[in-house]
Amino acid sequence: VRKAFLAAEDHRFFQESGISLIGIARSALIDLIAGRKVQGGSTITMQAARNVFLTLDKTFRRKLQESFVTYEMDHEFTKQEIFQLYLNVIFFGQRSYGVAAAAQTYFGKSLDQLTVAEAATLAGIPQAPSLYNPIIHPHLAAARRRYVLQRMLDLGYIDAAAAHAADDTPVDARAHAPHVDVNAPYAAEM
């Protein structure tokens, strides 16, 4: 699960600061060439800051606030704490916030029971939860999963056989009733 999200969102997360000037410059260049907003430059820390402390407004002021909050988070928390916070607050659609809730919602499983294909499917959802919802749009979720699997392969997180097997697995998500384990800790442990 961890490697799937790093591959999908920010593979340099544990090596870089919370604000990636390279990522911001790259997304600005791509957006400029396309003539519209195509790609974001937010790091995992920036996404966590936005989801926990700020609104989702797409304004210059909010982006500036996000930068300040990201800077503070980067200096007050460990990378592991930030990553865990991120995984516990991001939205996955189907009224699911956090990766553990999404695993239960879409697959009826806990995080440690997920297959590579399921983990890659979940990692693909946050970019556009309504678009990559594997229940509503399994074909789009499969295409996004293929991207995540390719990134995992490129980064050496999985081998070619695992990537091929996961890519060949049908998207088998369906709505599951929430499972409440009163003995489980609130936050997903990674």
Side-chain angles (χ1 to χ4, degrees):
V1 171
R2 176 182 173 169
K3 289 179 178 180
F5 278 87
L6 289 172
E9 296 294 331
D10 185 4
H11 75 279
R12 292 185 300 267
F13 171 72
F14 283 100
Q15 290 80 40
E16 293 185 346
S17 69
I19 299 173
S20 171
L21 297 178
I22 293 171
I24 292 169
R26 180 193 69 244
S27 69
L29 180 63
I30 291 171
D31 291 351
L32 183 65
I33 290 169
R36 62 186 172 85
K37 182 83 170 132
V38 174
Q39 189 177 68
S42 296
T43 64
I44 285 175
T45 307
M46 293 170 87
Q47 291 177 54
R50 178 176 54 244
N51 284 309
V52 173
F53 300 109
L54 302 168
T55 67
L56 298 179
D57 297 337
K58 293 185 178 189
T59 64
F60 178 75
R61 178 185 171 119
R62 199 266 311 144
K63 197 67 171 170
L64 188 60
Q65 290 171 326
E66 181 181 303
S67 297
F68 285 115
V69 173
T70 298
Y71 177 82
E72 288 298 319
M73 285 178 65
D74 207 34
H75 288 83
E76 294 295 324
F77 301 108
T78 67
K79 286 289 194 177
Q80 186 60 38
E81 289 170 332
I82 293 168
F83 193 62
Q84 188 171 340
L85 175 65
Y86 164 77
L87 289 177
N88 281 297
V89 298
I90 54 175
F91 180 61
F92 287 88
Q94 299 290 123
R95 297 183 302 252
S96 293
Y97 287 86
V99 69
Q104 282 295 326
T105 297
Y106 291 112
F107 302 111
K109 296 181 177 182
S110 63
L111 293 175
D112 61 342
Q113 296 173 319
L114 293 175
T115 65
V116 172
E118 292 164 342
T121 300
L122 290 179
I125 296 172
Q127 184 185 45
S130 60
L131 185 65
Y132 298 124
N133 180 318
I135 296 170
I136 299 170
H137 302 291
H139 59 291
L140 295 176
R144 178 71 177 153
R145 177 182 70 186
R146 183 171 299 119
Y147 165 79
V148 174
L149 291 168
Q150 185 60 53
R151 293 283 300 137
M152 292 175 75
L153 178 62
D154 293 345
L155 294 167
Y157 295 163
I158 57 174
D159 61 26
H164 184 70
D167 191 38
D168 285 346
T169 304
V171 175
D172 189 28
R174 61 184 175 82
H176 289 80
H179 170 73
V180 179
D181 183 354
V182 294
N183 296 318
Y186 175 72
E189 293 294 326
M190 297 308 301

